[in-house]
PDB file of all heavy atoms in Angstrom:
ATOM      1  N   ALA A   1      26.446-141.738-136.153  1.00 92.00           N
ATOM      2  CA  ALA A   1      25.905-140.719-135.299  1.00 92.00           C
ATOM      3  C   ALA A   1      24.548-140.185-135.765  1.00 92.00           C
ATOM      4  O   ALA A   1      23.666-139.948-134.953  1.00 92.00           O
ATOM      5  CB  ALA A   1      26.995-139.485-135.216  1.00 92.00           C
ATOM      6  N   THR A   2      24.394-140.045-137.093  1.00 88.00           N
ATOM      7  CA  THR A   2      23.054-139.617-137.670  1.00 88.00           C
ATOM      8  C   THR A   2      21.982-140.695-137.387  1.00 88.00           C
ATOM      9  O   THR A   2      20.932-140.315-137.027  1.00 88.00           O
ATOM     10  CB  THR A   2      23.259-139.381-139.203  1.00 88.00           C
ATOM     11  OG1 THR A   2      24.249-138.405-139.358  1.00 88.00           O
ATOM     12  CG2 THR A   2      21.915-138.945-139.813  1.00 88.00           C
ATOM     13  N   ALA A   3      22.345-141.976-137.472  1.00 91.00           N
ATOM     14  CA  ALA A   3      21.387-142.984-137.269  1.00 91.00           C
ATOM     15  C   ALA A   3      20.958-142.961-135.765  1.00 91.00           C
ATOM     16  O   ALA A   3      19.807-143.105-135.494  1.00 91.00           O
ATOM     17  CB  ALA A   3      21.995-144.333-137.611  1.00 91.00           C
ATOM     18  N   LYS A   4      21.963-142.841-134.835  1.00 93.00           N
ATOM     19  CA  LYS A   4      21.589-142.758-133.439  1.00 93.00           C
ATOM     20  C   LYS A   4      20.807-141.580-133.075  1.00 93.00           C
ATOM     21  O   LYS A   4      19.869-141.686-132.216  1.00 93.00           O
ATOM     22  CB  LYS A   4      22.908-142.812-132.612  1.00 93.00           C
ATOM     23  CG  LYS A   4      23.664-144.127-132.712  1.00 93.00           C
ATOM     24  CD  LYS A   4      24.710-144.458-131.680  1.00 93.00           C
ATOM     25  CE  LYS A   4      25.747-143.218-131.403  1.00 93.00           C
ATOM     26  NZ  LYS A   4      26.822-143.621-130.566  1.00 93.00           N
ATOM     27  N   SER A   5      21.149-140.452-133.595  1.00 89.00           N
ATOM     28  CA  SER A   5      20.401-139.200-133.277  1.00 89.00           C
ATOM     29  C   SER A   5      18.995-139.213-133.819  1.00 89.00           C
ATOM     30  O   SER A   5      17.979-138.773-133.245  1.00 89.00           O
ATOM     31  CB  SER A   5      21.046-137.981-133.739  1.00 89.00           C
ATOM     32  OG  SER A   5      21.246-137.915-135.196  1.00 89.00           O
ATOM     33  N   THR A   6      18.900-139.839-135.028  1.00 87.00           N
ATOM     34  CA  THR A   6      17.471-140.056-135.612  1.00 87.00           C
ATOM     35  C   THR A   6      16.673-140.885-134.685  1.00 87.00           C
ATOM     36  O   THR A   6      15.500-140.690-134.482  1.00 87.00           O
ATOM     37  CB  THR A   6      17.555-140.592-137.045  1.00 87.00           C
ATOM     38  OG1 THR A   6      18.397-139.699-137.798  1.00 87.00           O
ATOM     39  CG2 THR A   6      16.262-140.858-137.652  1.00 87.00           C
ATOM     40  N   ILE A   7      17.121-141.976-134.240  1.00 90.00           N
ATOM     41  CA  ILE A   7      16.451-142.959-133.356  1.00 90.00           C
ATOM     42  C   ILE A   7      15.964-142.193-131.986  1.00 90.00           C
ATOM     43  O   ILE A   7      14.861-142.330-131.601  1.00 90.00           O
ATOM     44  CB  ILE A   7      17.284-144.156-133.019  1.00 90.00           C
ATOM     45  CG1 ILE A   7      17.383-144.999-134.284  1.00 90.00           C
ATOM     46  CG2 ILE A   7      16.623-144.957-131.918  1.00 90.00           C
ATOM     47  CD1 ILE A   7      18.309-146.230-134.254  1.00 90.00           C
ATOM     48  N   VAL A   8      16.923-141.495-131.549  1.00 90.00           N
ATOM     49  CA  VAL A   8      16.624-140.687-130.269  1.00 90.00           C
ATOM     50  C   VAL A   8      15.521-139.716-130.587  1.00 90.00           C
ATOM     51  O   VAL A   8      14.611-139.511-129.781  1.00 90.00           O
ATOM     52  CB  VAL A   8      17.819-139.970-129.759  1.00 90.00           C
ATOM     53  CG1 VAL A   8      17.584-138.958-128.630  1.00 90.00           C
ATOM     54  CG2 VAL A   8      18.880-141.077-129.254  1.00 90.00           C
ATOM     55  N   CYS A   9      15.595-138.971-131.642  1.00 86.00           N
ATOM     56  CA  CYS A   9      14.607-138.076-131.983  1.00 86.00           C
ATOM     57  C   CYS A   9      13.198-138.560-132.179  1.00 86.00           C
ATOM     58  O   CYS A   9      12.182-138.143-131.685  1.00 86.00           O
ATOM     59  CB  CYS A   9      14.952-137.159-133.244  1.00 86.00           C
ATOM     60  SG  CYS A   9      16.308-135.985-132.917  1.00 86.00           S
ATOM     61  N   LEU A  10      13.183-139.706-132.915  1.00 85.00           N
ATOM     62  CA  LEU A  10      11.838-140.344-133.275  1.00 85.00           C
ATOM     63  C   LEU A  10      11.284-140.962-132.110  1.00 85.00           C
ATOM     64  O   LEU A  10       9.991-140.880-131.945  1.00 85.00           O
ATOM     65  CB  LEU A  10      12.153-141.353-134.369  1.00 85.00           C
ATOM     66  CG  LEU A  10      12.529-140.918-135.786  1.00 85.00           C
ATOM     67  CD1 LEU A  10      12.832-142.085-136.621  1.00 85.00           C
ATOM     68  CD2 LEU A  10      11.329-140.012-136.301  1.00 85.00           C
ATOM     69  N   PHE A  11      11.978-141.601-131.251  1.00 86.00           N
ATOM     70  CA  PHE A  11      11.336-142.377-130.158  1.00 86.00           C
ATOM     71  C   PHE A  11      11.378-141.726-128.813  1.00 86.00           C
ATOM     72  O   PHE A  11      10.322-141.670-128.055  1.00 86.00           O
ATOM     73  CB  PHE A  11      11.908-143.775-130.130  1.00 86.00           C
ATOM     74  CG  PHE A  11      11.689-144.580-131.396  1.00 86.00           C
ATOM     75  CD1 PHE A  11      12.589-144.830-132.288  1.00 86.00           C
ATOM     76  CD2 PHE A  11      10.383-144.937-131.655  1.00 86.00           C
ATOM     77  CE1 PHE A  11      12.489-145.450-133.492  1.00 86.00           C
ATOM     78  CE2 PHE A  11      10.195-145.701-132.913  1.00 86.00           C
ATOM     79  CZ  PHE A  11      11.224-145.942-133.790  1.00 86.00           C
ATOM     80  N   PHE A  12      12.537-141.211-128.387  1.00 85.00           N
ATOM     81  CA  PHE A  12      12.581-140.464-127.120  1.00 85.00           C
ATOM     82  C   PHE A  12      12.109-139.146-127.047  1.00 85.00           C
ATOM     83  O   PHE A  12      11.538-138.703-126.121  1.00 85.00           O
ATOM     84  CB  PHE A  12      14.000-140.631-126.492  1.00 85.00           C
ATOM     85  CG  PHE A  12      14.431-142.006-126.227  1.00 85.00           C
ATOM     86  CD1 PHE A  12      15.476-142.706-126.990  1.00 85.00           C
ATOM     87  CD2 PHE A  12      13.906-142.654-125.237  1.00 85.00           C
ATOM     88  CE1 PHE A  12      15.847-143.861-126.702  1.00 85.00           C
ATOM     89  CE2 PHE A  12      14.340-144.016-124.904  1.00 85.00           C
ATOM     90  CZ  PHE A  12      15.272-144.586-125.596  1.00 85.00           C
ATOM     91  N   MET A  13      12.164-138.465-128.215  1.00 83.00           N
ATOM     92  CA  MET A  13      11.517-137.096-128.298  1.00 83.00           C
ATOM     93  C   MET A  13      10.036-137.231-128.814  1.00 83.00           C
ATOM     94  O   MET A  13       9.466-136.179-129.059  1.00 83.00           O
ATOM     95  CB  MET A  13      12.377-136.249-129.109  1.00 83.00           C
ATOM     96  CG  MET A  13      13.701-135.932-128.456  1.00 83.00           C
ATOM     97  SD  MET A  13      14.823-135.011-129.535  1.00 83.00           S
ATOM     98  CE  MET A  13      13.953-133.466-129.719  1.00 83.00           C
ATOM     99  N   HIS A  14       9.652-138.410-129.118  1.00 83.00           N
ATOM    100  CA  HIS A  14       8.224-138.682-129.552  1.00 83.00           C
ATOM    101  C   HIS A  14       7.912-138.037-130.878  1.00 83.00           C
ATOM    102  O   HIS A  14       6.653-137.679-131.099  1.00 83.00           O
ATOM    103  CB  HIS A  14       7.228-138.271-128.388  1.00 83.00           C
ATOM    104  CG  HIS A  14       7.446-139.014-127.149  1.00 83.00           C
ATOM    105  ND1 HIS A  14       7.328-140.314-126.962  1.00 83.00           N
ATOM    106  CD2 HIS A  14       7.973-138.566-125.969  1.00 83.00           C
ATOM    107  CE1 HIS A  14       7.709-140.599-125.740  1.00 83.00           C
ATOM    108  NE2 HIS A  14       8.072-139.531-125.107  1.00 83.00           N
ATOM    109  N   LEU A  15       8.827-137.944-131.800  1.00 81.00           N
ATOM    110  CA  LEU A  15       8.505-137.295-133.073  1.00 81.00           C
ATOM    111  C   LEU A  15       7.819-138.362-134.069  1.00 81.00           C
ATOM    112  O   LEU A  15       7.315-137.942-135.007  1.00 81.00           O
ATOM    113  CB  LEU A  15       9.780-136.689-133.629  1.00 81.00           C
ATOM    114  CG  LEU A  15      10.273-135.425-132.999  1.00 81.00           C
ATOM    115  CD1 LEU A  15      11.523-134.944-133.697  1.00 81.00           C
ATOM    116  CD2 LEU A  15       9.119-134.371-133.084  1.00 81.00           C
ATOM    117  N   TRP A  16       7.900-139.643-133.673  1.00 81.00           N
ATOM    118  CA  TRP A  16       7.252-140.596-134.591  1.00 81.00           C
ATOM    119  C   TRP A  16       5.831-140.360-134.771  1.00 81.00           C
ATOM    120  O   TRP A  16       5.306-140.509-135.827  1.00 81.00           O
ATOM    121  CB  TRP A  16       7.699-142.089-134.023  1.00 81.00           C
ATOM    122  CG  TRP A  16       7.177-143.137-134.918  1.00 81.00           C
ATOM    123  CD1 TRP A  16       5.937-143.758-134.681  1.00 81.00           C
ATOM    124  CD2 TRP A  16       7.754-143.546-136.045  1.00 81.00           C
ATOM    125  NE1 TRP A  16       5.883-144.811-135.681  1.00 81.00           N
ATOM    126  CE2 TRP A  16       6.944-144.623-136.441  1.00 81.00           C
ATOM    127  CE3 TRP A  16       8.901-143.265-136.705  1.00 81.00           C
ATOM    128  CZ2 TRP A  16       7.276-145.396-137.715  1.00 81.00           C
ATOM    129  CZ3 TRP A  16       9.177-144.042-137.896  1.00 81.00           C
ATOM    130  CH2 TRP A  16       8.373-144.958-138.425  1.00 81.00           C
ATOM    131  N   GLY A  17       5.202-140.167-133.699  1.00 79.00           N
ATOM    132  CA  GLY A  17       3.707-139.989-133.717  1.00 79.00           C
ATOM    133  C   GLY A  17       3.232-138.508-133.509  1.00 79.00           C
ATOM    134  O   GLY A  17       2.117-138.336-133.317  1.00 79.00           O
ATOM    135  N   ASP A  18       4.101-137.584-133.664  1.00 79.00           N
ATOM    136  CA  ASP A  18       3.872-136.195-133.407  1.00 79.00           C
ATOM    137  C   ASP A  18       3.266-135.532-134.493  1.00 79.00           C
ATOM    138  O   ASP A  18       3.152-136.103-135.669  1.00 79.00           O
ATOM    139  CB  ASP A  18       5.082-135.506-132.922  1.00 79.00           C
ATOM    140  CG  ASP A  18       4.803-134.350-131.997  1.00 79.00           C
ATOM    141  OD1 ASP A  18       3.641-134.016-131.780  1.00 79.00           O
ATOM    142  OD2 ASP A  18       5.729-133.724-131.500  1.00 79.00           O
ATOM    143  N   THR A  19       2.882-134.265-134.415  1.00 82.00           N
ATOM    144  CA  THR A  19       2.359-133.545-135.494  1.00 82.00           C
ATOM    145  C   THR A  19       3.332-133.181-136.591  1.00 82.00           C
ATOM    146  O   THR A  19       4.510-133.297-136.407  1.00 82.00           O
ATOM    147  CB  THR A  19       1.762-132.121-134.969  1.00 82.00           C
ATOM    148  OG1 THR A  19       2.884-131.408-134.450  1.00 82.00           O
ATOM    149  CG2 THR A  19       0.782-132.269-133.934  1.00 82.00           C
ATOM    150  N   ARG A  20       2.829-132.970-137.789  1.00 85.00           N
ATOM    151  CA  ARG A  20       3.672-132.756-138.980  1.00 85.00           C
ATOM    152  C   ARG A  20       4.458-131.419-138.750  1.00 85.00           C
ATOM    153  O   ARG A  20       5.576-131.391-139.305  1.00 85.00           O
ATOM    154  CB  ARG A  20       2.890-132.621-140.204  1.00 85.00           C
ATOM    155  CG  ARG A  20       2.077-133.927-140.621  1.00 85.00           C
ATOM    156  CD  ARG A  20       3.070-134.933-141.032  1.00 85.00           C
ATOM    157  NE  ARG A  20       2.395-136.104-141.481  1.00 85.00           N
ATOM    158  CZ  ARG A  20       2.781-137.341-141.216  1.00 85.00           C
ATOM    159  NH1 ARG A  20       3.905-137.558-140.662  1.00 85.00           N
ATOM    160  NH2 ARG A  20       2.074-138.440-141.609  1.00 85.00           N
ATOM    161  N   VAL A  21       4.017-130.488-138.021  1.00 88.00           N
ATOM    162  CA  VAL A  21       4.741-129.214-137.846  1.00 88.00           C
ATOM    163  C   VAL A  21       6.018-129.530-137.102  1.00 88.00           C
ATOM    164  O   VAL A  21       7.053-128.998-137.526  1.00 88.00           O
ATOM    165  CB  VAL A  21       3.862-128.192-137.077  1.00 88.00           C
ATOM    166  CG1 VAL A  21       4.666-126.935-136.734  1.00 88.00           C
ATOM    167  CG2 VAL A  21       2.623-127.905-137.873  1.00 88.00           C
ATOM    168  N   ASN A  22       5.985-130.317-136.072  1.00 84.00           N
ATOM    169  CA  ASN A  22       7.179-130.631-135.278  1.00 84.00           C
ATOM    170  C   ASN A  22       8.200-131.369-136.153  1.00 84.00           C
ATOM    171  O   ASN A  22       9.409-131.231-136.096  1.00 84.00           O
ATOM    172  CB  ASN A  22       6.934-131.294-134.059  1.00 84.00           C
ATOM    173  CG  ASN A  22       6.198-130.410-132.982  1.00 84.00           C
ATOM    174  OD1 ASN A  22       6.363-129.217-133.023  1.00 84.00           O
ATOM    175  ND2 ASN A  22       5.602-131.019-132.024  1.00 84.00           N
ATOM    176  N   GLN A  23       7.677-132.345-136.893  1.00 82.00           N
ATOM    177  CA  GLN A  23       8.588-133.110-137.758  1.00 82.00           C
ATOM    178  C   GLN A  23       9.146-132.248-138.878  1.00 82.00           C
ATOM    179  O   GLN A  23      10.372-132.341-139.259  1.00 82.00           O
ATOM    180  CB  GLN A  23       7.778-134.171-138.474  1.00 82.00           C
ATOM    181  CG  GLN A  23       7.212-135.348-137.579  1.00 82.00           C
ATOM    182  CD  GLN A  23       6.326-136.247-138.103  1.00 82.00           C
ATOM    183  OE1 GLN A  23       5.910-136.158-139.236  1.00 82.00           O
ATOM    184  NE2 GLN A  23       5.919-137.334-137.427  1.00 82.00           N
ATOM    185  N   PHE A  24       8.424-131.224-139.347  1.00 87.00           N
ATOM    186  CA  PHE A  24       8.967-130.302-140.429  1.00 87.00           C
ATOM    187  C   PHE A  24      10.056-129.522-139.772  1.00 87.00           C
ATOM    188  O   PHE A  24      11.107-129.225-140.471  1.00 87.00           O
ATOM    189  CB  PHE A  24       7.883-129.437-140.910  1.00 87.00           C
ATOM    190  CG  PHE A  24       8.371-128.342-141.844  1.00 87.00           C
ATOM    191  CD1 PHE A  24       8.684-128.672-143.153  1.00 87.00           C
ATOM    192  CD2 PHE A  24       8.428-127.035-141.428  1.00 87.00           C
ATOM    193  CE1 PHE A  24       9.152-127.774-144.046  1.00 87.00           C
ATOM    194  CE2 PHE A  24       8.813-126.175-142.299  1.00 87.00           C
ATOM    195  CZ  PHE A  24       9.188-126.356-143.595  1.00 87.00           C
ATOM    196  N   ILE A  25       9.874-129.034-138.636  1.00 87.00           N
ATOM    197  CA  ILE A  25      10.854-128.237-137.899  1.00 87.00           C
ATOM    198  C   ILE A  25      12.142-129.038-137.687  1.00 87.00           C
ATOM    199  O   ILE A  25      13.272-128.448-137.877  1.00 87.00           O
ATOM    200  CB  ILE A  25      10.282-127.639-136.601  1.00 87.00           C
ATOM    201  CG1 ILE A  25       9.200-126.628-136.873  1.00 87.00           C
ATOM    202  CG2 ILE A  25      11.372-127.072-135.634  1.00 87.00           C
ATOM    203  CD1 ILE A  25       8.487-126.080-135.661  1.00 87.00           C
ATOM    204  N   LEU A  26      12.086-130.239-137.244  1.00 83.00           N
ATOM    205  CA  LEU A  26      13.209-131.086-137.062  1.00 83.00           C
ATOM    206  C   LEU A  26      14.009-131.247-138.314  1.00 83.00           C
ATOM    207  O   LEU A  26      15.100-131.063-138.537  1.00 83.00           O
ATOM    208  CB  LEU A  26      12.829-132.449-136.446  1.00 83.00           C
ATOM    209  CG  LEU A  26      14.126-133.436-136.388  1.00 83.00           C
ATOM    210  CD1 LEU A  26      15.027-132.915-135.346  1.00 83.00           C
ATOM    211  CD2 LEU A  26      13.568-134.814-136.149  1.00 83.00           C
ATOM    212  N   ILE A  27      13.308-131.546-139.418  1.00 85.00           N
ATOM    213  CA  ILE A  27      13.846-131.808-140.830  1.00 85.00           C
ATOM    214  C   ILE A  27      14.549-130.461-141.254  1.00 85.00           C
ATOM    215  O   ILE A  27      15.680-130.492-141.763  1.00 85.00           O
ATOM    216  CB  ILE A  27      12.857-132.285-141.775  1.00 85.00           C
ATOM    217  CG1 ILE A  27      12.480-133.690-141.413  1.00 85.00           C
ATOM    218  CG2 ILE A  27      13.409-132.224-143.241  1.00 85.00           C
ATOM    219  CD1 ILE A  27      11.262-134.207-142.184  1.00 85.00           C
ATOM    220  N   LEU A  28      13.892-129.404-141.132  1.00 91.00           N
ATOM    221  CA  LEU A  28      14.411-128.084-141.449  1.00 91.00           C
ATOM    222  C   LEU A  28      15.678-127.768-140.720  1.00 91.00           C
ATOM    223  O   LEU A  28      16.674-127.236-141.227  1.00 91.00           O
ATOM    224  CB  LEU A  28      13.350-126.940-141.243  1.00 91.00           C
ATOM    225  CG  LEU A  28      13.618-125.702-141.925  1.00 91.00           C
ATOM    226  CD1 LEU A  28      13.601-125.855-143.374  1.00 91.00           C
ATOM    227  CD2 LEU A  28      12.566-124.608-141.532  1.00 91.00           C
ATOM    228  N   SER A  29      15.734-128.059-139.420  1.00 88.00           N
ATOM    229  CA  SER A  29      16.887-127.912-138.508  1.00 88.00           C
ATOM    230  C   SER A  29      18.082-128.684-138.973  1.00 88.00           C
ATOM    231  O   SER A  29      19.206-128.216-139.085  1.00 88.00           O
ATOM    232  CB  SER A  29      16.577-128.180-137.028  1.00 88.00           C
ATOM    233  OG  SER A  29      15.464-127.489-136.691  1.00 88.00           O
ATOM    234  N   VAL A  30      17.762-129.908-139.326  1.00 85.00           N
ATOM    235  CA  VAL A  30      18.937-130.889-139.779  1.00 85.00           C
ATOM    236  C   VAL A  30      19.430-130.316-141.189  1.00 85.00           C
ATOM    237  O   VAL A  30      20.639-130.360-141.391  1.00 85.00           O
ATOM    238  CB  VAL A  30      18.334-132.252-139.944  1.00 85.00           C
ATOM    239  CG1 VAL A  30      19.284-133.209-140.678  1.00 85.00           C
ATOM    240  CG2 VAL A  30      18.016-132.949-138.611  1.00 85.00           C
ATOM    241  N   LEU A  31      18.536-129.926-142.082  1.00 91.00           N
ATOM    242  CA  LEU A  31      18.991-129.380-143.383  1.00 91.00           C
ATOM    243  C   LEU A  31      19.825-128.120-143.153  1.00 91.00           C
ATOM    244  O   LEU A  31      20.732-127.895-143.808  1.00 91.00           O
ATOM    245  CB  LEU A  31      17.738-129.102-144.301  1.00 91.00           C
ATOM    246  CG  LEU A  31      17.033-130.327-144.838  1.00 91.00           C
ATOM    247  CD1 LEU A  31      15.860-129.936-145.600  1.00 91.00           C
ATOM    248  CD2 LEU A  31      17.966-131.163-145.567  1.00 91.00           C
ATOM    249  N   PHE A  32      19.431-127.297-142.111  1.00 93.00           N
ATOM    250  CA  PHE A  32      20.126-126.052-141.775  1.00 93.00           C
ATOM    251  C   PHE A  32      21.568-126.310-141.426  1.00 93.00           C
ATOM    252  O   PHE A  32      22.549-125.779-141.774  1.00 93.00           O
ATOM    253  CB  PHE A  32      19.490-125.143-140.758  1.00 93.00           C
ATOM    254  CG  PHE A  32      20.189-123.942-140.559  1.00 93.00           C
ATOM    255  CD1 PHE A  32      20.212-122.866-141.428  1.00 93.00           C
ATOM    256  CD2 PHE A  32      20.797-123.806-139.254  1.00 93.00           C
ATOM    257  CE1 PHE A  32      20.782-121.703-141.136  1.00 93.00           C
ATOM    258  CE2 PHE A  32      21.428-122.549-138.965  1.00 93.00           C
ATOM    259  CZ  PHE A  32      21.476-121.447-139.842  1.00 93.00           C
ATOM    260  N   VAL A  33      21.662-127.445-140.530  1.00 88.00           N
ATOM    261  CA  VAL A  33      23.053-127.812-140.019  1.00 88.00           C
ATOM    262  C   VAL A  33      23.841-128.339-141.198  1.00 88.00           C
ATOM    263  O   VAL A  33      25.021-128.067-141.218  1.00 88.00           O
ATOM    264  CB  VAL A  33      22.829-128.847-138.877  1.00 88.00           C
ATOM    265  CG1 VAL A  33      24.224-129.412-138.490  1.00 88.00           C
ATOM    266  CG2 VAL A  33      22.262-128.168-137.600  1.00 88.00           C
ATOM    267  N   ILE A  34      23.305-129.141-141.958  1.00 89.00           N
ATOM    268  CA  ILE A  34      23.984-129.667-143.144  1.00 89.00           C
ATOM    269  C   ILE A  34      24.484-128.525-144.007  1.00 89.00           C
ATOM    270  O   ILE A  34      25.618-128.534-144.569  1.00 89.00           O
ATOM    271  CB  ILE A  34      23.140-130.645-144.017  1.00 89.00           C
ATOM    272  CG1 ILE A  34      22.983-131.950-143.162  1.00 89.00           C
ATOM    273  CG2 ILE A  34      23.730-130.961-145.281  1.00 89.00           C
ATOM    274  CD1 ILE A  34      21.895-132.906-143.704  1.00 89.00           C
ATOM    275  N   LEU A  35      23.656-127.476-144.294  1.00 94.00           N
ATOM    276  CA  LEU A  35      24.018-126.378-145.075  1.00 94.00           C
ATOM    277  C   LEU A  35      25.240-125.639-144.470  1.00 94.00           C
ATOM    278  O   LEU A  35      26.144-125.286-145.058  1.00 94.00           O
ATOM    279  CB  LEU A  35      22.866-125.354-145.246  1.00 94.00           C
ATOM    280  CG  LEU A  35      23.111-124.054-145.909  1.00 94.00           C
ATOM    281  CD1 LEU A  35      23.524-124.374-147.376  1.00 94.00           C
ATOM    282  CD2 LEU A  35      21.979-123.126-145.749  1.00 94.00           C
ATOM    283  N   MET A  36      25.057-125.392-143.182  1.00 93.00           N
ATOM    284  CA  MET A  36      26.215-124.628-142.460  1.00 93.00           C
ATOM    285  C   MET A  36      27.475-125.453-142.485  1.00 93.00           C
ATOM    286  O   MET A  36      28.579-124.871-142.655  1.00 93.00           O
ATOM    287  CB  MET A  36      25.774-124.294-141.001  1.00 93.00           C
ATOM    288  CG  MET A  36      24.569-123.464-140.936  1.00 93.00           C
ATOM    289  SD  MET A  36      24.728-121.826-141.947  1.00 93.00           S
ATOM    290  CE  MET A  36      25.949-120.946-141.142  1.00 93.00           C
ATOM    291  N   CYS A  37      27.383-126.771-142.279  1.00 88.00           N
ATOM    292  CA  CYS A  37      28.619-127.575-142.326  1.00 88.00           C
ATOM    293  C   CYS A  37      29.217-127.514-143.724  1.00 88.00           C
ATOM    294  O   CYS A  37      30.450-127.532-143.920  1.00 88.00           O
ATOM    295  CB  CYS A  37      28.392-129.034-141.896  1.00 88.00           C
ATOM    296  SG  CYS A  37      28.021-129.028-140.034  1.00 88.00           S
ATOM    297  N   SER A  38      28.425-127.689-144.737  1.00 89.00           N
ATOM    298  CA  SER A  38      28.858-127.686-146.108  1.00 89.00           C
ATOM    299  C   SER A  38      29.569-126.255-146.421  1.00 89.00           C
ATOM    300  O   SER A  38      30.556-126.344-147.169  1.00 89.00           O
ATOM    301  CB  SER A  38      27.700-127.875-147.123  1.00 89.00           C
ATOM    302  OG  SER A  38      27.131-129.220-146.765  1.00 89.00           O
ATOM    303  N   LEU A  39      29.022-125.235-146.033  1.00 92.00           N
ATOM    304  CA  LEU A  39      29.537-123.966-146.287  1.00 92.00           C
ATOM    305  C   LEU A  39      30.882-123.841-145.614  1.00 92.00           C
ATOM    306  O   LEU A  39      31.802-123.279-146.154  1.00 92.00           O
ATOM    307  CB  LEU A  39      28.585-122.791-145.938  1.00 92.00           C
ATOM    308  CG  LEU A  39      27.322-122.720-146.828  1.00 92.00           C
ATOM    309  CD1 LEU A  39      26.377-121.617-146.246  1.00 92.00           C
ATOM    310  CD2 LEU A  39      27.650-122.346-148.162  1.00 92.00           C
ATOM    311  N   THR A  40      31.028-124.285-144.387  1.00 90.00           N
ATOM    312  CA  THR A  40      32.225-124.173-143.613  1.00 90.00           C
ATOM    313  C   THR A  40      33.343-125.027-144.382  1.00 90.00           C
ATOM    314  O   THR A  40      34.449-124.641-144.548  1.00 90.00           O
ATOM    315  CB  THR A  40      32.081-124.677-142.179  1.00 90.00           C
ATOM    316  OG1 THR A  40      31.000-123.889-141.656  1.00 90.00           O
ATOM    317  CG2 THR A  40      33.271-124.572-141.436  1.00 90.00           C
ATOM    318  N   ILE A  41      32.979-126.261-144.794  1.00 85.00           N
ATOM    319  CA  ILE A  41      33.919-127.179-145.447  1.00 85.00           C
ATOM    320  C   ILE A  41      34.312-126.463-146.717  1.00 85.00           C
ATOM    321  O   ILE A  41      35.536-126.501-147.083  1.00 85.00           O
ATOM    322  CB  ILE A  41      33.350-128.499-145.574  1.00 85.00           C
ATOM    323  CG1 ILE A  41      33.280-129.158-144.283  1.00 85.00           C
ATOM    324  CG2 ILE A  41      34.213-129.374-146.528  1.00 85.00           C
ATOM    325  CD1 ILE A  41      32.403-130.552-144.272  1.00 85.00           C
ATOM    326  N   ALA A  42      33.449-125.990-147.444  1.00 87.00           N
ATOM    327  CA  ALA A  42      33.738-125.263-148.804  1.00 87.00           C
ATOM    328  C   ALA A  42      34.675-124.084-148.504  1.00 87.00           C
ATOM    329  O   ALA A  42      35.642-123.950-149.387  1.00 87.00           O
ATOM    330  CB  ALA A  42      32.463-124.840-149.426  1.00 87.00           C
TER     331      ALA A  42
END
């Protein structure tokens, strides 16, 4: 699921050639989701 969503974000949401700010926001969002899931599991 992570691989598929990464492909969708990179190519269909055009993040592959987009500005670094948008790429940073995506990465930060993914890290936030990982943190929240980790805290819930813990």
